[in-house]
Amino acid sequence: MGTLAMVLAGKKIRTSAESYRADVEGDIENVDSVLKITEIRVHYHLKLQKEKSGDADEAFATYLKLCPAAQSVIGCIRIRDRLELEEALR
């Protein structure tokens, strides 16, 4: 969440507790008799002004390349992420 929040901040999109959250779940499977995390799913929720949705999409498309945690496990663990945008009331 932190890396995406940083990239969003660079586009002047705020990520307060009221406007930004993530639901995260994952799978642990038995791989050759070893329990292994095989997939992590992150569903981001972001409330923002409608005119900022393009900027949010751009940030989302690039943040994984900057995320230390994701870069540490990509190739070993599948990461599936999605961003749901909701228009914030002014």
Side-chain angles (χ1 to χ4, degrees), residues 5-53:
M6 176 190 71
V7 178
L8 289 165
K11 296 190 175 288
K12 307 287 191 254
I13 298 173
R14 294 185 180 190
T15 54
S16 66
E18 298 79 32
S19 65
Y20 179 59
R21 70 178 176 88
D23 299 321
V24 182
E25 60 184 17
D27 296 330
I28 299 173
E29 298 178 34
N30 182 332
V31 178
D32 298 326
S33 300
V34 176
L35 293 178
K36 180 178 174 181
I37 299 169
T38 56
E39 182 171 290
I40 298 170
R41 292 175 298 282
V42 185
H43 179 183
Y44 293 100
H45 303 266
L46 178 63
K47 294 179 184 177
L48 74 170
Q49 301 305 316
K50 187 175 183 178
E51 62 271 9
K52 288 294 205 171
S53 60

Side-chain angles (χ1 to χ4, degrees), residues 2 13 21-23 26 32 43 45 56 62-63 66-67 70-71 73 83-84:
I13 298 173
R21 70 178 176 88
D23 299 321
D32 298 326
H43 179 183
H45 303 266
T62 61
Y63 86 99
L66 302 171
C67 179
Q71 290 303 307
V73 301
L83 174 63
E84 184 176 330

